Amino acid sequence: MDFSNRKVENLRRVVALLTMFITSYYLYWRYTETFNPQSLFFSWALFSAELFGAITTFLFFFTVWKPKTRTAPPSVPGRSVDVLIPTKNESVAVLRKTLLACNDLRYPHRTLVLDDGNRPEVRALSEELNCVYLARETHDHAKAGNLNYGLQHSKAEFIAVFDADHIPLPHFIDTLIGYFEDNKVGFVQVPQEFYNIDSMQHRTDWKKKTIWGEQYLFFSLIQPGKDHWGAAYFVGSCAILRRKTLDDIGGFATASITEDMLTSIKIHAKGWTSVYHNENLAFGIAAETLKPFSIQRQRWGVGNWQVFVRANPIFIKGLTLSQRLSYLSSMIYPLEGLQKLVFYLTPPAALFSGVLPMRALDVNYLLHFIPYFLFSIFGFSEMSRGVGGQILLEQYSMAKFFTYLKTLVIPFFPKKGKVFKVTPKGEEGLAPTRTLIIPQFVVLILSFTAMLWALVELLLDLRRDSFIVSVNCFWALYNSGLALAIIHFDYKKLFQRRSAFRIPDTVLASYRPAGETAASEAQLAVLDNITEEGIAMVALDQIPVGKEFEVDLMLSKPYLRLQCRVVRERSMSASPYQISHIGMRFTNISQPARDIISRYLHETAVIKFMKDYVLGYKTYIERRFGRKSRLYERAARSLAYLPVIVREGGGRHSYGAIKDISDTGLLVLSQETWALGSEITLEIVLGKERISMTGLVVRMIPRPDEIFPEYLIGVQFKEESGEKVQNLIKIAGQIGDLIFE
Amino acid sequence: MTQAPRKSFLLILLLAYSLIVLCWGLVRNPFTTAEAKNIYIGRGLVTDGNAGWSGPVEEMMNVQPGAYSIAPLIISGVDRYAGLHGSRLVSIALGLVLVLLIFLIGDTSLYGKRGLLAATTFVFLGIPLQLSAFATTTPYTALFFAASVLLIEASAETASSGRRMLMLLFSSLSLTAAVTMNYISMLFVAPLVLYVFLRHRFLHAGGFFLLPLVAALSVYGYTAILPVWASIGRSLSLPLSHSSADMLSSLNVTYIFNWLSMPYLLAIFGIFHREGGKRAFFVMLLSFPVFLVNFMSSDLNATHLAVLLATIFMAPAAALGVDHMGDLFSSHNPMARIKPLFMFAVLLVLWVFGLQQIKELNRNNLDLTDAVSFLRARKLAGVTILIDSDYGSPEYVYRYFLESGSPPPQVLPVVRATGEERKRVVAETKPGYVVLDDYHSDRSFTLASLDYLSQGFTVAKTYQMSLSSGIKTVKIFHKGVL
C-alpha cells in the first residue's frame, strides 16, 4: 500500500479533520436538542451507540494518521535463531506443512515444536523432519506458557514464532533479521496473511481477481499506522522477538489469553521499540466458518478485557501517550457488540412502538444527520485507504456482535470462556454450527416482522408517520441484508466439498490412461488448481468420472508422476471441441511426493496467485488527485488454460501453459527462457489437434525460485494469425465460463 | 419471457395500476378550488374573451398565471359537455402519458436503462401521480416539462448532429409551453439550461436550446406577463406582508418536505450508485429551486406543481437510489435472487408510503360536500351567500355547485377579514347565509363567529372536516327563518 503521495495523504487528513468536526457538532446537537423526553432510555441508548462510533472513528483516524512504510535492511549473518511452533490440537497434516516450510527457511536456525497436546504422532513428525520436540507435563498459561517453556530450552538471540498453521516463506528470517541491528528493537512483526481466500474472513471475486479480507484493514493499515506511533504490536505469530527483550519482561506474558497484546504492552512499557514490516512472509489458514471465527474473536475479546483490567494501557507506566491511545483503540472494540445491538434493535423498536429515540425525524434532524452520515462514510473510506470496505465490515460486525456481547459477560463468570481455545484449522475448522447464526436469524425475523407490522398499520390508517416508518424500514432492511449475508455464507459452507483450499495455479501436466505406456497416448493439459490431495484440470477431451490416469505434474524436472482418479467432471461443448473441467484425486500418493507438492504450493504457488489478486480499491481522493498510472493500450485478455509447445528456429522446443490471450498476443508460463525479440512458433494444443501460429517474444519475466523456476513470456502475434486468434479467444472465454461457473 | 417483452408487460401492468389509482382519485377526490377556478377562467375566455376572472388578479396568477388560453379552455370545455369527471379524465390521460415519459427518460442509457424502475418509483411515490387526477393546469404543465427533459436526455444519446439539434429545439419549445401553462415551471428553467450546457457542446446548447427558449419566453413575457406585471408584483409581495400568508408559506415548505423527502432520500442513495452516482448528485442539486417556490406563489397548487416538476426531474435519480439500495441491502450477497427481493421490499415500503401521501394530499383538499348539500336543500334563488374563509377560495366551489338554481345565488368571498370589514360586507350585501371556516386560525374563527352572532345571525349547521392539520369546523350562519 502506497502512503507516499503527500498531496493525497494531506487531503485525506483534511477530510478526517472535517469529519471529526462535523461528527462532534452533530453529537453536541443530538445531546442538547434531540432527546425524546417520552423515551429517555431509548434516546440514551442510540446516542451512546453513536458516541461510541464517534470515539472509535476518532481513535481510528488517530491510529492511521500517518502509516509507516519500511524497507527491510540487509540481512545480517551469524545470528542464532530458534523457531518456536506452539501447537495443541492442530492436525498433523496442518503442522507438517509448517514444519516443511520451517526446514526450508534459508537462514540457519533450529525449529522447536512445542506440543501442548503431548501427542506421539507430533513427536514422530518432529523427529522425521529433524525438529526439536518439546512437551510440557503441565499446561499452565496456555499458549504463553507453552512459548515460555520453549524459551527455557532455547539459547538463541532471536525467537521466531509461528502458529501451527502459519507457513513461512524461505526468506522470512533473512528479510527481518537486519532490523535487529538497532539494539532498541524488541520485536519485528509481519502481517498474518492467509492463503485460503474462500474462508469466513474473505470475500473473493474469482473472475475479477479481487480479494477483500476482514483483517486487511488491520494488517495493511492499522499496524503500519501504529508503527508510526511506535505501537505496532506482536500478534502471536509471524514475528521475530529479541530474546533479551523477552527476558527483560519475564518471558511471554501469561496474565491474559491474548498473550500477544499483553507481551507487546510490557515490551513497549520497558522502552523497547517495535517494527512492523508490511510484507507477506508467511501464509496461514484463516477461520473457515463462523465457528472458528467466533471462537477466535471470543478469545480476543475476553483477552482484551483481561489486559484492560490487569495492564490497562491508560495507567501502565512507561508508555507514551500515542502508545496508550493506540492500545486503547485496539482494546475497546468488543463494545461494538453493544453498539450494534442498539443499531439492530432500534428500527424494530421504532416500527413496533411508534416511539422514536429522538424528538422528531424531521427536516431539521435530516439536515444534521445527512452531512454527518455522508462525512462519516467519506472520512472512513479515505482514511482506510481503500481497504475499508464499509459494507463488508458491517457484515462482519453482524457476524461478531453476539460474540462480542458474550465477551462483556464472560469476565464476570469464574471460568467460563476464559480458557485459551485454539482456533480450529483445516478440516476441523469447516464444521458449521447452526446455533451460531441464531442471533442473526433473530435480527432478520425481528426486522422483517416489524417492517410488515408497521406497513400494515399504515395501510389500515392506524398510524400516519409514513416517513418515519419508511426510514426505519430501510434501516431494518439494511440490517436484514447483513444478517442474511452471514446466514447465507454459513449455509454455503455446509455444502462445501473440499477438505483443503484449492490453490489456484496454472501448471502444465500430461496425462494418459493408467496402464498405458505408449507415449503417443499422453495428452497435454493445464491445471487450474492444486491441493496435496488432488488437482483440477482443463482438458479438451471427454473424460468420465471414475477413470484412472497417470499424470505428470510439470512443476520441475524430473516431473512428478502421480496416479489419479477422476472424481468430478463438468463439460461444455465448444464446437468442434468438448471442453472439460475435471477434478482428480491422487491415489497412492507417497509422502515425499505429497511433501514436494506441499512445498511447491505454500512456498511458491501461494505467492504467485496472491500477486494475481487485487486487494483494496482506489478511494475518491486517490482517483482524483493521485498519481495517474501510465496507461498502456492493452487489448482485453481472456484466461486460457491451454497447453502450448513453443518452437524456436534452431529446432529447440519446450512446453508451456497459456495464462491469458488477447487479440494481439498471449502470455505463456514456461520453465525455459526465450530470447527477447526471437521469432517463435506456437503449437497450441486443442485436444488432439494443434493450431500453429507465429509470434515474437516481447516480454520475459523470470520468477526466481530455486526449486520451481518459472518464466512469464509475452508473445506478440504476427499479422497473419487473426482468424485463429479469434477462435482461440472464443474457446478461452468458454473455458473461463466453465471454470468460474 | 425474454427481457424486452417482460419489460413491456411490466410497463403495461404499471400503466394499468396507474390508471386504477388515477380513476380512484377521479371518483374519490373532492372538487377542489383550483379546479373550480380553472373552469371559471375557461368559461370567461369563451364569454368575454377577458379570462373571465372576477376575483383579484393576484389570485388568478396563482392558479393560471399568464396563459389563460390553453388548459382552462380545455378543462371548462370538457366540463361543459362531460362534467367534472370528463375534465379529470383528460388529466388522467395526460398523467398516463407522463408515466410513459418518465419511463422513457429513465430508459436512456444515461440512467442504465432503468426506465421501468424510474416509472415505478414515480408512480409509487403517490403524490406526483395523484396530482394528475385533478382538472388543473398541473398535468398539462408536467407533460410539457417531462417532454422537454426527455428530449434533452434523448438528444444527448443521438449520434446524428441534425437530430440532436432538432431535439434540443423541440425541448426548448416544450419547456416554453410548460412555462406558458404555468409560470411556476420558470423555477426549473435555469437548472435545465445549465444541464443542457453541461450535456452538449456550447454552440448546440446556445443556438438550439437557449436562444429559442429566450425568444419564445420573451414573446410570452411581452404578450402575457407584461400587461399584468403590476398585479404579479402585488402577488409576489403579498405573501411576505401578510401574516396568514406567511403561515401558508411555512406550511407549504412543510408540504415540500413531506412530499419530496422520499425522492430526495432515494436520490441520496442514488449518489452512491456505482454507475450513476454523479448524475444522481447533479440532478439533485439542480432540483433545489423547488424550495424557492414560495417566493413565486404561496398557493398550495403552486407547491404541488413545483413538487411534481422536481419529481419528474429526480425520478430516474431516485430509481438509481432504489437500485443501489438493492445492492446495499443485499449486502453484495452473491445469491442472484437476493437483490430483486430487497428492491421489491424497498418498492413495497415506497408503495405504502405513497398511499399514505395520497391520503395526506386528500386531507389537504377541502371536502365541502356536506356544506354544499345543506345549502342545495335550501331555497336560494336570489340569495347572497358569504364565504368567510382563511384558506384558498372555496367560494368558487360553492358557486359551481349552486349555479343550477334559477336565478343562482350570489356567492361572495370574505377573505381574512377583520370585524369591521365583516360588518361592512354584511351591511352592503345582506347575505342570507354565511359559511365560516377555521382551516388555519382557530382564534380568528371564534372572533368571526361572535361577529356574525352579534349581527343577528344564528348557527344553522356545524360540520367537522378532517384535514391534515387536524379536525376543522365549518359553521353555516343564517339570518331569518330557515
Side-chain angles (χ1 to χ4, degrees):
Chain A
M1 194 177 278
D2 181 21
F3 310 118
S4 61
N5 191 326
R6 286 180 65 186
K7 189 177 166 187
V8 168
E9 288 296 307
N10 285 336
L11 278 169
R12 281 177 170 153
R13 286 178 202 124
V14 170
V15 170
L17 287 174
L18 263 173
T19 306
M20 287 163 77
F21 173 75
I22 291 170
T23 304
S24 305
Y25 171 72
Y26 167 77
L27 288 172
Y28 169 76
W29 174 79
R30 280 274 287 119
Y31 179 72
T32 53
E33 306 270 336
T34 64
F35 276 35
N36 184 352
Q38 257 75 55
S39 58
L40 273 179
F41 176 76
F42 199 10
S43 298
W44 266 108
L46 185 63
F47 176 75
S48 306
E50 287 179 308
L51 184 65
F52 175 76
I55 292 169
T56 51
T57 303
F58 292 1
L59 284 172
F60 171 72
F61 287 173
F62 168 77
T63 305
V64 301
W65 193 252
K66 200 174 180 185
K68 197 165 193 165
T69 310
R70 291 181 186 260
T71 312
S75 182
V76 181
R79 300 301 185 95
S80 58
V81 181
D82 275 351
V83 175
L84 304 189
I85 315 287
T87 175
K88 188 178 179 187
N89 52 12
E90 293 87 352
S91 73
V92 171
V94 167
L95 194 57
R96 185 180 189 94
K97 295 173 197 172
T98 307
L99 297 184
L100 282 170
C102 286
N103 281 351
D104 285 342
L105 285 168
R106 288 191 208 120
Y107 202 88
H109 68 283
R110 270 196 326 161
T111 303
L112 282 71
V113 179
L114 313 172
D115 181 22
D116 248 3
N118 301 64
R119 292 164 293 172
E121 63 273 24
V122 175
R123 174 187 288 273
L125 175 71
S126 306
E127 284 166 3
E128 182 197 337
L129 299 176
N130 296 319
C131 302
V132 178
Y133 178 81
L134 296 168
R136 299 188 284 171
E137 282 182 14
T138 57
H139 302 292
D140 300 336
H141 305 304
K143 184 179 169 186
N146 198 8
L147 286 168
N148 285 333
Y149 185 69
L151 287 182
Q152 288 170 23
H153 294 81
S154 168
K155 291 197 175 1
E157 290 171 86
F158 299 101
I159 303 294
V161 180
F162 297 105
D163 280 347
D165 63 306
H166 259 110
I167 304 168
L169 296 180
H171 55 289
F172 182 92
I173 303 172
D174 300 78
T175 309
L176 305 182
I177 198 79
Y179 282 113
F180 289 100
E181 283 297 280
D182 177 352
N183 288 328
K184 282 188 178 173
V185 172
F187 65 89
V188 181
Q189 177 69 55
V190 298
Q192 276 191 357
E193 184 54 277
F194 305 97
Y195 63 83
N196 55 331
I197 56 169
D198 64 345
S199 79
M200 176 72 201
Q201 289 172 215
H202 292 91
R203 289 289 186 273
T204 306
D205 189 323
W206 302 98
K207 218 166 183 177
K208 290 181 187 162
K209 290 194 179 282
T210 56
I211 322 176
W212 180 90
E214 190 244 356
Q215 290 199 56
Y216 287 166
L217 185 68
F218 179 77
F219 284 112
S220 46
L221 183 66
I222 293 177
Q223 279 280 53
K226 286 177 184 291
D227 198 19
H228 169 74
W229 298 115
Y233 66 80
F234 168 55
V235 292
S237 180
C238 311
I240 302 180
L241 299 99
R242 193 190 291 270
R243 176 62 192 257
K244 203 174 158 190
T245 310
L246 285 170
D247 290 344
D248 195 20
I249 60 162
F252 291 95
T254 54
S256 163
I257 54 174
T258 49
E259 81 297 336
D260 40 13
M261 180 182 273
L262 189 53
T263 302
S264 308
I265 292 175
K266 287 186 165 187
I267 288 174
H268 285 134
K270 284 276 185 178
W272 293 93
T273 62
S274 57
V275 166
Y276 183 73
H277 180 79
N278 194 4
E279 181 188 351
N280 296 327
L281 295 175
F283 294 88
I285 305 173
E288 294 272 10
T289 62
L290 199 55
K291 184 183 175 185
F293 184 76
S294 301
I295 289 173
Q296 187 185 53
R297 300 314 155 100
Q298 182 171 317
R299 190 179 70 230
W300 293 356
V302 172
N304 272 351
W305 292 128
Q306 288 173 332
V307 177
F308 195 78
V309 172
R310 292 168 191 171
N312 194 312
I314 300 169
F315 305 113
I316 200 166
K317 278 184 186 169
L319 295 179
T320 63
L321 178 65
S322 45
Q323 282 173 331
R324 290 180 201 281
L325 288 173
S326 283
Y327 278 114
L328 186 69
S329 71
S330 295
M331 219 165 269
I332 58 169
Y333 68 84
L335 282 173
E336 184 193 284
L338 214 50
Q339 180 207 25
K340 295 298 174 191
L341 183 72
V342 173
F343 287 162
Y344 302 151
L345 292 184
T346 295
L351 289 169
F352 276 127
S353 67
V355 175
L356 281 176
M358 71 271 305
R359 274 200 187 128
L361 189 59
D362 54 8
V363 67
N364 195 25
Y365 183 84
L366 291 182
L367 283 175
H368 283 83
F369 177 76
I370 288 172
Y372 150 74
F373 182 67
L374 292 181
F375 261 90
S376 298
I377 291 173
F378 186 44
F380 180 78
S381 166
E382 287 304 331
M383 289 303 275
S384 61
R385 272 88 167 179
V387 286
Q390 192 114 22
I391 302 297
L392 289 167
L393 282 175
E394 286 290 333
Q395 252 185 48
Y396 283 89
S397 294
M398 171 61 81
K400 292 181 290 191
F401 87 95
F402 194 69
T403 304
Y404 283 164
L405 280 175
K406 282 199 288 185
T407 69
L408 301 178
V409 181
I410 287 170
F412 297 103
F413 290 92
K415 266 263 174 182
K416 192 176 163 63
K418 283 192 274 189
V419 287
F420 188 97
K421 266 193 188 175
V422 176
T423 313
K425 301 280 162 57
E427 284 190 58
E428 197 193 341
L430 279 169
T433 312
R434 285 192 169 123
T435 50
L436 282 173
I437 50 171
I438 288 175
Q440 286 76 27
F441 255 115
V442 170
V443 171
L444 181 72
I445 290 166
L446 204 61
S447 300
F448 264 104
T449 317
M451 198 178 93
L452 291 175
W453 171 275
L455 291 179
V456 169
E457 276 196 325
L458 272 181
L459 281 174
L460 298 178
D461 253 351
L462 299 172
R463 63 198 292 176
R464 283 190 182 181
D465 52 345
S466 55
F467 186 66
I468 290 169
V469 167
S470 303
V471 171
N472 279 293
C473 281
F474 292 152
W475 192 359
L477 279 172
Y478 175 65
N479 291 341
S480 310
L482 297 175
L484 205 59
I486 296 303
I487 292 165
H488 173 241
F489 200 81
D490 197 64
Y491 181 77
K492 209 170 70 173
K493 283 283 176 186
L494 283 173
F495 298 97
Q496 184 167 299
R497 284 177 297 183
R498 68 159 180 78
S499 55
F501 177 67
R502 297 175 188 141
I503 293 186
D505 197 9
T506 310
V507 173
L508 193 65
S510 76
Y511 65 97
R512 64 178 155 212
E516 281 287 347
T517 49
S520 58
E521 288 299 319
Q523 297 276 326
L524 283 173
V526 175
L527 312 186
D528 73 293
N529 68 57
I530 316 176
T531 68
E532 287 95 337
E533 306 298 326
I535 52 175
M537 182 172 92
V538 177
L540 270 71
D541 202 352
Q542 269 190 314
I543 298 173
V545 170
K547 195 166 179 181
E548 306 240 334
F549 286 92
E550 213 164 58
V551 177
D552 284 346
L553 291 189
M554 298 174 165
L555 296 174
S556 65
K557 284 177 183 168
Y559 299 144
L560 194 61
R561 179 158 295 177
L562 299 161
Q563 309 297 318
C564 303
R565 184 185 302 121
V566 177
V567 290
R568 182 173 51 83
E569 188 262 350
R570 276 186 304 132
S571 60
M572 71 189 293
S573 170
S575 181
Y577 310 105
Q578 179 80 20
I579 307 170
S580 303
H581 190 225
I582 297 142
M584 290 185 178
R585 188 182 289 277
F586 302 138
T587 54
N588 303 321
I589 183 170
S590 66
Q591 191 58 55
R594 202 188 288 269
D595 287 348
I596 290 172
I597 295 174
S598 173
R599 290 164 69 193
Y600 169 73
L601 290 178
H602 301 106
E603 293 165 35
T604 302
V606 73
I607 310 170
K608 285 197 286 175
F609 102 79
M610 289 297 270
K611 270 188 183 162
D612 279 350
Y613 282 75
V614 177
L615 319 177
Y617 54 91
K618 282 197 168 185
T619 64
Y620 173 76
I621 289 182
E622 208 174 345
R623 285 196 309 269
R624 185 79 179 76
F625 303 101
R627 288 185 205 104
K628 302 283 178 276
S629 54
R630 288 169 64 199
L631 293 172
Y632 293 99
E633 286 279 329
R634 281 177 63 171
R637 292 163 179 232
S638 308
L639 292 171
Y641 299 102
L642 289 171
V644 62
I645 302 165
V646 186
R647 292 183 195 280
E648 212 179 13
R652 188 167 79 102
H653 79 278
S654 72
Y655 297 106
I658 302 176
K659 193 170 161 65
D660 57 47
I661 185 167
S662 74
D663 283 343
T664 54
L666 49 77
L667 204 58
V668 179
L669 282 165
S670 170
Q671 285 164 20
E672 290 186 33
T673 177
W674 299 86
L676 272 174
S678 60
E679 189 173 318
I680 53 171
T681 306
L682 301 160
E683 275 181 28
I684 296 163
V685 181
L686 296 171
K688 289 186 177 160
E689 271 182 48
R690 287 176 188 188
I691 294 179
S692 189
M693 292 157 70
T694 50
L696 287 173
V697 177
V698 289
R699 278 173 83 198
M700 220 285 299
I701 306 164
R703 281 181 165 172
D705 193 297
E706 288 163 15
I707 309 167
F708 308 105
E710 193 176 75
Y711 299 91
L712 265 173
I713 301 165
V715 179
Q716 190 175 49
F717 297 131
K718 296 195 85 178
E719 290 298 321
E720 71 271 17
S721 308
E723 198 181 326
K724 291 177 192 171
V725 173
Q726 291 311 318
N727 253 339
L728 281 175
I729 289 174
K730 194 176 153 197
I731 292 168
Q734 283 164 320
I735 290 173
D737 289 344
L738 187 66
I739 291 176
F740 298 115
E741 196 176 43
Chain B
M1 206 184 282
T2 58
Q3 199 73 18
R6 191 191 300 149
K7 202 169 184 176
S8 308
F9 173 71
L10 289 173
L11 179 65
I12 291 167
L13 268 186
L14 186 69
L15 288 170
Y17 169 76
S18 307
L19 185 65
I20 292 167
V21 173
L22 286 167
C23 289
W24 186 68
L26 176 141
V27 181
R28 289 283 307 270
N29 289 339
F31 184 56
T32 65
T33 52
E35 289 176 308
K37 284 176 186 177
N38 276 293
I39 287 169
Y40 280 103
I41 293 169
R43 283 186 196 171
L45 277 169
V46 177
T47 53
D48 59 17
N50 192 26
W53 189 257
S54 54
V57 178
E58 53 267 28
E59 275 192 19
M60 177 190 71
M61 290 302 298
N62 281 333
V63 179
Q64 188 53 34
Y68 353 116
S69 53
I70 306 170
L73 261 184
I74 301 170
I75 293 166
S76 65
V78 179
D79 172 66
R80 181 167 178 182
Y81 296 105
L84 177 66
H85 284 185
S87 298
R88 284 184 171 181
L89 269 174
V90 176
S91 294
I92 284 173
L94 300 180
L96 290 177
V97 178
L98 182 62
V99 174
L100 208 58
L101 289 176
I102 300 287
F103 167 80
L104 292 172
I105 295 168
D107 220 38
T108 53
S109 57
L110 297 162
Y111 289 108
K113 302 272 173 197
R114 289 187 180 81
L116 197 61
L117 196 55
T120 309
T121 307
F122 181 79
V123 169
F124 282 11
L125 279 168
I127 292 279
L129 188 67
Q130 192 62 17
L131 291 175
S132 293
F134 294 101
T136 63
T137 57
T138 303
Y140 297 82
T141 314
L143 190 76
F144 283 108
F145 184 82
S148 177
V149 174
L150 173 64
L151 285 165
I152 293 170
E153 299 291 10
S155 64
E157 289 198 347
T158 309
S160 152
S161 177
R163 284 187 68 181
R164 196 180 310 136
M165 290 184 279
L166 204 64
M167 279 178 169
L168 281 177
L169 180 68
F170 278 113
S171 172
S172 96
L173 294 177
S174 192
L175 185 59
T176 310
V179 173
T180 58
M181 288 286 163
N182 194 316
Y183 79 113
I184 296 299
S185 324
M186 285 288 282
L187 275 173
F188 294 97
V189 168
L192 277 179
V193 169
L194 183 66
Y195 191 58
V196 172
F197 270 94
L198 288 170
R199 302 278 296 127
H200 290 274
R201 281 192 298 181
F202 187 84
L203 276 179
H204 283 182
F208 294 92
F209 187 81
L210 184 60
L211 209 65
L213 183 72
V214 170
L217 286 180
S218 302
V219 173
Y220 163 69
Y222 184 75
T223 55
I225 300 289
L226 203 60
V228 289
W229 180 246
S231 307
I232 292 175
R234 276 208 303 282
S235 168
L236 292 178
S237 61
L238 186 68
L240 300 174
S241 61
H242 199 290
S243 61
S244 192
D246 279 348
M247 184 186 66
L248 283 174
S249 296
S250 70
L251 200 64
N252 285 357
V253 171
T254 312
Y255 289 148
I256 293 173
F257 171 72
N258 283 345
W259 294 334
L260 282 178
S261 54
M262 188 55 79
Y264 272 118
L265 187 67
L266 296 178
I268 287 173
F269 279 97
I271 290 173
F272 295 98
H273 195 275
R274 197 166 289 182
E275 294 160 32
K278 275 184 197 165
R279 195 170 176 75
F281 180 69
F282 187 60
V283 168
M284 224 172 100
L285 280 186
L286 293 183
S287 72
F288 281 163
V290 67
F291 294 102
L292 303 176
V293 66
N294 285 298
F295 290 107
M296 298 182 83
S297 170
S298 61
D299 188 84
L300 188 58
N301 293 292
T303 306
H304 283 158
L305 180 62
V307 165
L308 177 57
L309 299 186
T311 314
I312 291 169
F313 209 34
M314 289 209 313
L320 288 174
V322 174
D323 191 64
H324 181 67
M325 283 162 117
D327 277 326
L328 185 70
F329 297 163
S330 58
S331 214
H332 302 290
N333 196 313
M335 266 171 78
R337 287 187 210 98
I338 291 286
K339 186 183 168 184
L341 186 78
F342 276 99
M343 281 172 69
F344 173 79
V346 171
L347 289 173
L348 177 73
V349 173
L350 194 61
W351 177 69
V352 176
F353 173 84
L355 289 182
Q356 274 297 309
Q357 293 286 88
I358 292 173
K359 286 179 196 167
E360 192 65 23
L361 176 74
N362 287 336
R363 285 187 203 112
N364 288 318
N365 291 319
L366 308 178
D367 188 354
L368 304 176
T369 317
D370 283 346
V372 167
S373 305
F374 173 81
L375 290 170
R376 268 183 166 171
R378 311 275 89 82
K379 287 175 184 166
L380 298 174
V383 171
T384 298
I385 302 170
L386 276 188
I387 309 296
D388 189 343
S389 174
D390 64 351
Y391 179 79
S393 310
E395 67 273 16
Y396 292 99
V397 178
Y398 290 102
R399 227 178 256 168
Y400 181 84
F401 282 119
L402 302 175
E403 66 188 3
S404 55
S406 180
Q410 193 182 14
V411 182
L412 298 173
V414 182
V415 184
R416 299 188 280 263
T418 61
E420 284 304 312
E421 285 166 351
R422 279 195 189 96
K423 274 182 189 164
R424 184 178 53 76
V425 173
V426 168
E428 283 173 8
T429 58
K430 299 192 175 25
Y433 291 90
V434 177
V435 182
L436 175 68
D437 68 48
D438 76 329
Y439 301 127
H440 291 288
S441 44
D442 292 341
R443 189 171 169 273
S444 62
F445 177 79
T446 314
L447 292 174
S449 295
L450 290 172
D451 283 343
Y452 289 116
L453 290 173
S454 68
Q455 290 181 69
F457 284 90
T458 54
V459 177
K461 191 81 184 171
T462 303
Y463 295 103
Q464 290 209 312
M465 207 183 286
S466 177
L467 287 171
S468 53
S469 47
I471 303 291
K472 296 294 175 182
T473 311
V474 178
K475 277 186 180 175
I476 301 179
F477 293 93
H478 173 66
K479 204 173 212 176
V481 183
L482 271 174

